Amino acid sequence: MTPVFLVTGAAGFIGSHSVDWLLRHGWRVVGVDNLRTGRLDNLADARSSPNFTLVIADAGDEAVMRPLFQQHRFAGALHLAALVSVPESFREPGLNYRLNLATADSLARWCLDHDCKRLVFASSAAVYGTSAPLPNRESTLPQPQSPYAAAKLAAEIMLLGYAASYGLEAVCLRYFNVYGPRQDPGSPYSGVLSIFTNRFQRGLPVTVYGDGEQTRDFISVRDVAECNGRALTRQSVQSGRYNVCTGQAVSLKQVLVVYRDLFPNAPPAQFASSRIGDIRHSLGDPALLQGMLRYNAQTSFARGLRELVLNHG
Ligand code: UD1
């Protein structure tokens, strides 16, 4: 029998690409999503596969999840379901606690109870905070500065505690700035590349907050899905926390240069004052995950952005 993997947040941006990766590699997948921020459209390909089952439910709903674990005897779980907006975590700390910490803890315990050996967890570069030395390394002391980052870090600690206590294989992946097709441009706090692409395609000017010299470690969702898939399915992994990044810093000004090639007639960018709390530079060291998965991010920024523009909308 082909092993079955659980993916929570399956209809989300990263979730749907991860489901596609698993199906492409011949695995069976049960996806769970409550469609709070996920979209069924993202799963259009997956839903035509006989190897995919979608369950519309909250990943923390024990009445739904325990029977799923019993029925499918999952070989591993990829936990991506989350409250994904940092500003929302400030407004709704109780919801943030439930969705970003309590559900991760529940899933880890259901894995242990039902012999699902591995849990791959979506953490975030946000756990490093603003004052960690660059590039961020996993050995750095994290300093979360939002309820979101605090819950992600607390979930990492719970999962790694279960790894030490009960032998769960817990792989916590700290995503840096993920971009690519299916990222929702709908809020001002959506990823900058989804917003810029959406605006350029409508012939509208983009707004750069600050001087445009701020840098980010942008990683394509294709590479992220590959890391997720490998972390979930490879024979052996080492429990721990791992950066998912490229190790390359790209400034917003450099971003605009690539867009200029793709939209030569676009109106010039407008500049506005920096956002409160904005980080100047974010950059990760990818070495630890590269060593474990034998995989380097393959998509150059220019190619990834071109692909995003061609697949958008
Ligand atoms: C990311 C998270 C954010 C989190 C932070 C902490 C995303 C989408 N956001 O923010 O929730 O608090 O990490 O690590 O992953 N920008 C513009 N114009 C726009 C939109 C954004 O100039 O229209 C700028 C922002 O001010 C920022 C940069 O682009 O300087 C990147 O913004 P964004 O994509 O929101 O990501 P982070 O700031 O890294």
Side-chain angles (χ1 to χ4, degrees), residues 118 169 229-237 291-294:
R118 187 171 305 170
E169 295 174 347
R230 287 184 182 221
L232 193 60
T233 60
R234 66 179 279 125
Q235 203 87 52
S236 73
V237 292
M292 182 170 80
L293 298 185
R294 312 251 164 272

Side-chain angles (χ1 to χ4, degrees), residues 178-229:
V178 185
Y179 71 96
R182 303 179 192 160
Q183 190 170 31
D184 178 11
S187 121
Y189 295 98
S190 299
V192 63
L193 302 182
S194 67
I195 296 175
F196 278 12
T197 300
N198 183 269
R199 293 189 67 82
F200 279 128
Q201 286 185 325
R202 293 189 293 145
L204 300 171
V206 299
T207 302
V208 174
Y209 299 116
D211 60 7
E213 299 293 352
Q214 65 265 53
T215 58
R216 293 294 183 272
D217 188 330
F218 292 106
I219 181 163
S220 160
V221 72
R222 306 264 177 231
D223 284 316
V224 172
E226 178 86 33
C227 292
N228 288 342

